[in-house]
mmCIF file of all heavy atoms in Angstrom:
data_model
loop_
_atom_site.group_PDB
_atom_site.id
_atom_site.type_symbol
_atom_site.label_atom_id
_atom_site.label_comp_id
_atom_site.label_asym_id
_atom_site.label_seq_id
_atom_site.Cartn_x
_atom_site.Cartn_y
_atom_site.Cartn_z
ATOM 1 N N ARG R 24 -10.932 29.775 27.033
ATOM 2 C CA ARG R 24 -10.431 28.498 26.522
ATOM 3 C C ARG R 24 -11.085 27.324 27.249
ATOM 4 O O ARG R 24 -11.377 26.293 26.640
ATOM 5 C CB ARG R 24 -8.912 28.435 26.675
ATOM 6 C CG ARG R 24 -8.157 29.285 25.665
ATOM 7 C CD ARG R 24 -6.663 29.084 25.794
ATOM 8 N NE ARG R 24 -5.915 29.796 24.784
ATOM 9 C CZ ARG R 24 -5.630 29.319 23.576
ATOM 10 N NH1 ARG R 24 -6.040 28.115 23.228
ATOM 11 N NH2 ARG R 24 -4.924 30.032 22.714
ATOM 12 N N TRP R 25 -11.303 27.458 28.569
ATOM 13 C CA TRP R 25 -11.942 26.387 29.330
ATOM 14 C C TRP R 25 -13.331 26.078 28.778
ATOM 15 O O TRP R 25 -13.714 24.911 28.651
ATOM 16 C CB TRP R 25 -12.033 26.787 30.808
ATOM 17 C CG TRP R 25 -12.805 25.808 31.643
ATOM 18 C CD1 TRP R 25 -12.350 24.648 32.180
ATOM 19 C CD2 TRP R 25 -14.178 25.915 32.016
ATOM 20 N NE1 TRP R 25 -13.359 24.015 32.871
ATOM 21 C CE2 TRP R 25 -14.493 24.775 32.779
ATOM 22 C CE3 TRP R 25 -15.181 26.861 31.776
ATOM 23 C CZ2 TRP R 25 -15.760 24.552 33.308
ATOM 24 C CZ3 TRP R 25 -16.440 26.646 32.300
ATOM 25 C CH2 TRP R 25 -16.719 25.515 33.054
ATOM 26 N N GLU R 26 -14.082 27.115 28.441
ATOM 27 C CA GLU R 26 -15.427 26.901 27.907
ATOM 28 C C GLU R 26 -15.391 26.132 26.585
ATOM 29 O O GLU R 26 -16.267 25.305 26.317
ATOM 30 C CB GLU R 26 -16.137 28.239 27.729
ATOM 31 C CG GLU R 26 -16.547 28.867 29.056
ATOM 32 C CD GLU R 26 -17.150 30.243 28.890
ATOM 33 O OE1 GLU R 26 -17.174 30.740 27.731
ATOM 34 O OE2 GLU R 26 -17.592 30.817 29.898
ATOM 35 N N LYS R 27 -14.359 26.356 25.786
ATOM 36 C CA LYS R 27 -14.258 25.664 24.503
ATOM 37 C C LYS R 27 -13.661 24.265 24.639
ATOM 38 O O LYS R 27 -14.019 23.347 23.904
ATOM 39 C CB LYS R 27 -13.398 26.482 23.535
ATOM 40 C CG LYS R 27 -14.011 27.815 23.136
ATOM 41 C CD LYS R 27 -13.069 28.586 22.219
ATOM 42 C CE LYS R 27 -13.662 29.928 21.810
ATOM 43 N NZ LYS R 27 -12.717 30.707 20.959
ATOM 44 N N THR R 28 -12.745 24.106 25.601
ATOM 45 C CA THR R 28 -11.959 22.873 25.684
ATOM 46 C C THR R 28 -12.523 21.855 26.672
ATOM 47 O O THR R 28 -12.528 20.655 26.393
ATOM 48 C CB THR R 28 -10.506 23.203 26.088
ATOM 49 O OG1 THR R 28 -9.975 24.142 25.163
ATOM 50 C CG2 THR R 28 -9.640 21.951 26.084
ATOM 51 N N LEU R 29 -13.013 22.313 27.826
ATOM 52 C CA LEU R 29 -13.354 21.373 28.902
ATOM 53 C C LEU R 29 -14.792 21.446 29.396
ATOM 54 O O LEU R 29 -15.297 20.460 29.949
ATOM 55 C CB LEU R 29 -12.425 21.610 30.102
ATOM 56 C CG LEU R 29 -10.956 21.217 29.922
ATOM 57 C CD1 LEU R 29 -10.163 21.568 31.186
ATOM 58 C CD2 LEU R 29 -10.831 19.726 29.626
ATOM 59 N N ARG R 30 -15.443 22.562 29.228
ATOM 60 C CA ARG R 30 -16.731 22.760 29.893
ATOM 61 C C ARG R 30 -17.718 21.622 29.641
ATOM 62 O O ARG R 30 -18.390 21.164 30.573
ATOM 63 C CB ARG R 30 -17.356 24.081 29.457
ATOM 64 C CG ARG R 30 -18.667 24.352 30.171
ATOM 65 C CD ARG R 30 -19.184 25.741 29.910
ATOM 66 N NE ARG R 30 -20.322 26.050 30.750
ATOM 67 C CZ ARG R 30 -20.854 27.250 30.861
ATOM 68 N NH1 ARG R 30 -20.350 28.258 30.179
ATOM 69 N NH2 ARG R 30 -21.887 27.448 31.650
ATOM 70 N N ASP R 31 -17.822 21.148 28.432
ATOM 71 C CA ASP R 31 -18.833 20.140 28.095
ATOM 72 C C ASP R 31 -18.276 18.724 28.070
ATOM 73 O O ASP R 31 -18.897 17.819 27.515
ATOM 74 C CB ASP R 31 -19.468 20.480 26.738
ATOM 75 C CG ASP R 31 -20.220 21.806 26.783
ATOM 76 O OD1 ASP R 31 -20.840 22.097 27.822
ATOM 77 O OD2 ASP R 31 -20.175 22.544 25.787
ATOM 78 N N THR R 32 -17.115 18.512 28.698
ATOM 79 C CA THR R 32 -16.522 17.179 28.715
ATOM 80 C C THR R 32 -16.905 16.448 29.996
ATOM 81 O O THR R 32 -17.496 17.016 30.919
ATOM 82 C CB THR R 32 -14.990 17.247 28.610
ATOM 83 O OG1 THR R 32 -14.469 17.894 29.786
ATOM 84 C CG2 THR R 32 -14.565 18.022 27.369
ATOM 85 N N TRP R 33 -16.536 15.160 30.056
ATOM 86 C CA TRP R 33 -16.862 14.322 31.213
ATOM 87 C C TRP R 33 -16.195 14.840 32.486
ATOM 88 O O TRP R 33 -16.761 14.729 33.575
ATOM 89 C CB TRP R 33 -16.407 12.894 30.919
ATOM 90 C CG TRP R 33 -16.726 11.887 31.988
ATOM 91 C CD1 TRP R 33 -17.975 11.468 32.380
ATOM 92 C CD2 TRP R 33 -15.788 11.140 32.783
ATOM 93 N NE1 TRP R 33 -17.862 10.513 33.370
ATOM 94 C CE2 TRP R 33 -16.545 10.294 33.635
ATOM 95 C CE3 TRP R 33 -14.390 11.118 32.845
ATOM 96 C CZ2 TRP R 33 -15.941 9.426 34.544
ATOM 97 C CZ3 TRP R 33 -13.789 10.243 33.747
ATOM 98 C CH2 TRP R 33 -14.561 9.412 34.582
ATOM 99 N N ALA R 34 -14.989 15.397 32.367
ATOM 100 C CA ALA R 34 -14.226 15.859 33.527
ATOM 101 C C ALA R 34 -13.804 17.308 33.311
ATOM 102 O O ALA R 34 -12.665 17.585 32.929
ATOM 103 C CB ALA R 34 -13.012 14.969 33.763
ATOM 104 N N PRO R 35 -14.698 18.270 33.553
ATOM 105 C CA PRO R 35 -14.371 19.673 33.258
ATOM 106 C C PRO R 35 -13.487 20.348 34.303
ATOM 107 O O PRO R 35 -12.995 21.444 34.059
ATOM 108 C CB PRO R 35 -15.749 20.341 33.210
ATOM 109 C CG PRO R 35 -16.610 19.496 34.086
ATOM 110 C CD PRO R 35 -16.099 18.092 33.944
ATOM 111 N N GLU R 36 -13.279 19.706 35.476
ATOM 112 C CA GLU R 36 -12.506 20.322 36.547
ATOM 113 C C GLU R 36 -11.053 19.871 36.510
ATOM 114 O O GLU R 36 -10.752 18.702 36.778
ATOM 115 C CB GLU R 36 -13.092 19.969 37.923
ATOM 116 C CG GLU R 36 -14.210 20.877 38.366
ATOM 117 C CD GLU R 36 -15.483 20.731 37.567
ATOM 118 O OE1 GLU R 36 -16.096 19.674 37.603
ATOM 119 O OE2 GLU R 36 -15.851 21.700 36.884
ATOM 120 N N PRO R 37 -10.100 20.742 36.201
ATOM 121 C CA PRO R 37 -8.688 20.346 36.168
ATOM 122 C C PRO R 37 -8.070 20.299 37.565
ATOM 123 O O PRO R 37 -8.250 21.211 38.372
ATOM 124 C CB PRO R 37 -8.014 21.416 35.311
ATOM 125 C CG PRO R 37 -8.993 22.485 35.093
ATOM 126 C CD PRO R 37 -10.299 22.100 35.686
ATOM 127 N N TYR R 38 -7.352 19.211 37.826
ATOM 128 C CA TYR R 38 -6.614 19.021 39.075
ATOM 129 C C TYR R 38 -5.148 18.963 38.682
ATOM 130 O O TYR R 38 -4.666 17.985 38.128
ATOM 131 C CB TYR R 38 -7.059 17.722 39.744
ATOM 132 C CG TYR R 38 -6.565 17.535 41.161
ATOM 133 C CD1 TYR R 38 -7.284 18.047 42.236
ATOM 134 C CD2 TYR R 38 -5.403 16.829 41.430
ATOM 135 C CE1 TYR R 38 -6.850 17.871 43.545
ATOM 136 C CE2 TYR R 38 -4.969 16.650 42.733
ATOM 137 C CZ TYR R 38 -5.699 17.163 43.780
ATOM 138 O OH TYR R 38 -5.263 16.982 45.078
ATOM 139 N N VAL R 39 -4.433 20.059 38.931
ATOM 140 C CA VAL R 39 -3.057 20.215 38.473
ATOM 141 C C VAL R 39 -2.129 19.828 39.625
ATOM 142 O O VAL R 39 -2.332 20.276 40.759
ATOM 143 C CB VAL R 39 -2.788 21.666 38.034
ATOM 144 C CG1 VAL R 39 -1.432 21.780 37.351
ATOM 145 C CG2 VAL R 39 -3.900 22.159 37.109
ATOM 146 N N PHE R 40 -1.110 19.009 39.339
ATOM 147 C CA PHE R 40 -0.272 18.547 40.448
ATOM 148 C C PHE R 40 1.197 18.437 40.054
ATOM 149 O O PHE R 40 1.551 18.271 38.892
ATOM 150 C CB PHE R 40 -0.768 17.189 40.971
ATOM 151 C CG PHE R 40 -0.563 16.037 40.016
ATOM 152 C CD1 PHE R 40 0.595 15.260 40.065
ATOM 153 C CD2 PHE R 40 -1.513 15.725 39.055
ATOM 154 C CE1 PHE R 40 0.798 14.206 39.181
ATOM 155 C CE2 PHE R 40 -1.317 14.680 38.170
ATOM 156 C CZ PHE R 40 -0.155 13.916 38.237
ATOM 157 N N PHE R 41 2.034 18.518 41.087
ATOM 158 C CA PHE R 41 3.478 18.315 40.977
ATOM 159 C C PHE R 41 3.863 17.266 42.003
ATOM 160 O O PHE R 41 3.393 17.292 43.141
ATOM 161 C CB PHE R 41 4.219 19.624 41.239
ATOM 162 C CG PHE R 41 5.707 19.457 41.430
ATOM 163 C CD1 PHE R 41 6.540 19.233 40.341
ATOM 164 C CD2 PHE R 41 6.266 19.521 42.699
ATOM 165 C CE1 PHE R 41 7.909 19.077 40.521
ATOM 166 C CE2 PHE R 41 7.642 19.368 42.888
ATOM 167 C CZ PHE R 41 8.456 19.144 41.786
ATOM 168 N N GLU R 42 4.737 16.347 41.614
ATOM 169 C CA GLU R 42 5.149 15.256 42.513
ATOM 170 C C GLU R 42 6.656 15.231 42.686
ATOM 171 O O GLU R 42 7.410 15.432 41.740
ATOM 172 C CB GLU R 42 4.687 13.906 41.952
ATOM 173 C CG GLU R 42 5.027 12.709 42.824
ATOM 174 C CD GLU R 42 6.363 12.082 42.489
ATOM 175 O OE1 GLU R 42 6.795 12.227 41.328
ATOM 176 O OE2 GLU R 42 6.975 11.444 43.374
ATOM 177 N N LYS R 43 7.093 15.013 43.921
ATOM 178 C CA LYS R 43 8.503 14.814 44.206
ATOM 179 C C LYS R 43 8.624 13.841 45.372
ATOM 180 O O LYS R 43 8.051 14.071 46.446
ATOM 181 C CB LYS R 43 9.206 16.124 44.551
ATOM 182 C CG LYS R 43 10.712 15.966 44.777
ATOM 183 C CD LYS R 43 11.390 17.299 45.050
ATOM 184 C CE LYS R 43 12.888 17.120 45.245
ATOM 185 N NZ LYS R 43 13.566 18.418 45.523
ATOM 186 N N ASP R 44 9.339 12.742 45.135
ATOM 187 C CA ASP R 44 9.599 11.729 46.173
ATOM 188 C C ASP R 44 8.307 11.212 46.800
ATOM 189 O O ASP R 44 8.224 10.970 48.015
ATOM 190 C CB ASP R 44 10.510 12.295 47.258
ATOM 191 C CG ASP R 44 11.875 12.727 46.706
ATOM 192 O OD1 ASP R 44 12.342 12.091 45.745
ATOM 193 O OD2 ASP R 44 12.436 13.708 47.231
ATOM 194 N N GLY R 45 7.275 11.039 45.982
ATOM 195 C CA GLY R 45 6.030 10.456 46.466
ATOM 196 C C GLY R 45 5.122 11.410 47.217
ATOM 197 O O GLY R 45 4.065 11.010 47.711
ATOM 198 N N VAL R 46 5.512 12.679 47.315
ATOM 199 C CA VAL R 46 4.672 13.693 47.958
ATOM 200 C C VAL R 46 4.141 14.618 46.866
ATOM 201 O O VAL R 46 4.883 15.042 45.978
ATOM 202 C CB VAL R 46 5.455 14.502 49.002
ATOM 203 C CG1 VAL R 46 4.586 15.603 49.605
ATOM 204 C CG2 VAL R 46 5.966 13.580 50.105
ATOM 205 N N TYR R 47 2.857 14.938 46.955
ATOM 206 C CA TYR R 47 2.200 15.692 45.892
ATOM 207 C C TYR R 47 1.787 17.078 46.383
ATOM 208 O O TYR R 47 1.398 17.258 47.536
ATOM 209 C CB TYR R 47 0.956 14.939 45.412
ATOM 210 C CG TYR R 47 1.263 13.622 44.756
ATOM 211 C CD1 TYR R 47 1.421 12.466 45.523
ATOM 212 C CD2 TYR R 47 1.424 13.529 43.385
ATOM 213 C CE1 TYR R 47 1.715 11.245 44.929
ATOM 214 C CE2 TYR R 47 1.724 12.315 42.775
ATOM 215 C CZ TYR R 47 1.877 11.190 43.559
ATOM 216 O OH TYR R 47 2.180 9.992 42.961
ATOM 217 N N ARG R 48 1.886 18.032 45.481
ATOM 218 C CA ARG R 48 1.337 19.372 45.699
ATOM 219 C C ARG R 48 0.359 19.620 44.561
ATOM 220 O O ARG R 48 0.678 19.334 43.391
ATOM 221 C CB ARG R 48 2.453 20.399 45.681
ATOM 222 C CG ARG R 48 1.938 21.796 45.890
ATOM 223 C CD ARG R 48 2.222 22.421 47.220
ATOM 224 N NE ARG R 48 2.478 23.843 46.932
ATOM 225 C CZ ARG R 48 3.617 24.444 47.135
ATOM 226 N NH1 ARG R 48 4.626 23.788 47.664
ATOM 227 N NH2 ARG R 48 3.756 25.709 46.829
ATOM 228 N N ALA R 49 -0.810 20.142 44.898
ATOM 229 C CA ALA R 49 -1.867 20.200 43.891
ATOM 230 C C ALA R 49 -2.694 21.475 44.004
ATOM 231 O O ALA R 49 -2.715 22.150 45.044
ATOM 232 C CB ALA R 49 -2.774 18.977 44.025
ATOM 233 N N ARG R 50 -3.387 21.767 42.895
ATOM 234 C CA ARG R 50 -4.376 22.840 42.846
ATOM 235 C C ARG R 50 -5.569 22.321 42.050
ATOM 236 O O ARG R 50 -5.397 21.573 41.081
ATOM 237 C CB ARG R 50 -3.801 24.095 42.187
ATOM 238 C CG ARG R 50 -2.591 24.656 42.905
ATOM 239 C CD ARG R 50 -2.019 25.849 42.162
ATOM 240 N NE ARG R 50 -2.903 27.016 42.222
ATOM 241 C CZ ARG R 50 -2.708 28.130 41.544
ATOM 242 N NH1 ARG R 50 -1.669 28.225 40.716
ATOM 243 N NH2 ARG R 50 -3.537 29.146 41.664
ATOM 244 N N MET R 51 -6.775 22.723 42.465
ATOM 245 C CA MET R 51 -7.977 22.286 41.759
ATOM 246 C C MET R 51 -8.839 23.489 41.414
ATOM 247 O O MET R 51 -9.160 24.311 42.270
ATOM 248 C CB MET R 51 -8.774 21.299 42.613
ATOM 249 C CG MET R 51 -9.794 20.469 41.804
ATOM 250 S SD MET R 51 -11.309 21.339 41.332
ATOM 251 C CE MET R 51 -12.207 21.302 42.878
ATOM 252 N N PHE R 52 -9.199 23.576 40.128
ATOM 253 C CA PHE R 52 -10.036 24.664 39.624
ATOM 254 C C PHE R 52 -11.377 24.081 39.180
ATOM 255 O O PHE R 52 -11.417 23.088 38.457
ATOM 256 C CB PHE R 52 -9.355 25.356 38.445
ATOM 257 C CG PHE R 52 -7.967 25.841 38.752
ATOM 258 C CD1 PHE R 52 -6.851 25.079 38.417
ATOM 259 C CD2 PHE R 52 -7.762 27.068 39.377
ATOM 260 C CE1 PHE R 52 -5.570 25.524 38.691
ATOM 261 C CE2 PHE R 52 -6.474 27.521 39.659
ATOM 262 C CZ PHE R 52 -5.380 26.749 39.317
ATOM 263 N N ALA R 53 -12.480 24.717 39.612
ATOM 264 C CA ALA R 53 -13.794 24.137 39.299
ATOM 265 C C ALA R 53 -14.810 25.199 38.912
ATOM 266 O O ALA R 53 -15.827 25.384 39.593
ATOM 267 C CB ALA R 53 -14.296 23.332 40.492
ATOM 268 N N PRO R 54 -14.590 25.918 37.803
ATOM 269 C CA PRO R 54 -15.568 26.932 37.398
ATOM 270 C C PRO R 54 -16.934 26.342 37.066
ATOM 271 O O PRO R 54 -17.949 27.025 37.186
ATOM 272 C CB PRO R 54 -14.919 27.570 36.153
ATOM 273 C CG PRO R 54 -13.920 26.565 35.672
ATOM 274 C CD PRO R 54 -13.433 25.861 36.889
ATOM 275 N N ASP R 55 -16.968 25.051 36.694
ATOM 276 C CA ASP R 55 -18.233 24.421 36.313
ATOM 277 C C ASP R 55 -19.194 24.327 37.488
ATOM 278 O O ASP R 55 -20.409 24.312 37.293
ATOM 279 C CB ASP R 55 -17.962 23.028 35.746
ATOM 280 C CG ASP R 55 -19.188 22.441 35.068
ATOM 281 O OD1 ASP R 55 -19.794 23.136 34.227
ATOM 282 O OD2 ASP R 55 -19.554 21.284 35.376
ATOM 283 N N ILE R 56 -18.670 24.251 38.720
ATOM 284 C CA ILE R 56 -19.542 24.138 39.889
ATOM 285 C C ILE R 56 -19.429 25.362 40.796
ATOM 286 O O ILE R 56 -19.764 25.317 41.973
ATOM 287 C CB ILE R 56 -19.262 22.843 40.691
ATOM 288 C CG1 ILE R 56 -17.783 22.730 41.074
ATOM 289 C CG2 ILE R 56 -19.702 21.630 39.906
ATOM 290 C CD1 ILE R 56 -17.464 21.514 41.941
ATOM 291 N N GLY R 57 -18.932 26.451 40.248
ATOM 292 C CA GLY R 57 -18.935 27.708 40.967
ATOM 293 C C GLY R 57 -17.791 27.898 41.939
ATOM 294 O O GLY R 57 -17.878 28.735 42.840
ATOM 295 N N ILE R 58 -16.685 27.143 41.778
ATOM 296 C CA ILE R 58 -15.534 27.274 42.662
ATOM 297 C C ILE R 58 -14.326 27.686 41.829
ATOM 298 O O ILE R 58 -13.849 26.916 40.995
ATOM 299 C CB ILE R 58 -15.237 25.949 43.391
ATOM 300 C CG1 ILE R 58 -16.450 25.516 44.229
ATOM 301 C CG2 ILE R 58 -14.013 26.086 44.280
ATOM 302 C CD1 ILE R 58 -16.316 24.131 44.814
ATOM 303 N N ALA R 59 -13.838 28.899 42.051
ATOM 304 C CA ALA R 59 -12.692 29.369 41.271
ATOM 305 C C ALA R 59 -11.474 28.489 41.532
ATOM 306 O O ALA R 59 -10.797 28.044 40.597
ATOM 307 C CB ALA R 59 -12.395 30.820 41.603
ATOM 308 N N GLU R 60 -11.167 28.260 42.824
ATOM 309 C CA GLU R 60 -10.098 27.352 43.210
ATOM 310 C C GLU R 60 -10.437 26.786 44.577
ATOM 311 O O GLU R 60 -10.960 27.502 45.441
ATOM 312 C CB GLU R 60 -8.733 28.048 43.242
ATOM 313 C CG GLU R 60 -7.604 27.083 43.592
ATOM 314 C CD GLU R 60 -6.209 27.694 43.485
ATOM 315 O OE1 GLU R 60 -6.100 28.848 43.017
ATOM 316 O OE2 GLU R 60 -5.224 27.016 43.872
#
């Protein structure tokens, strides 16, 4: 799905985050540049 949806876009690397009381927890996936997470 990533190859169809994001690979050829301006921002192919998803940065997923959760916020509570101004503090963030995040994960970043970057298959486009060879980094799984």
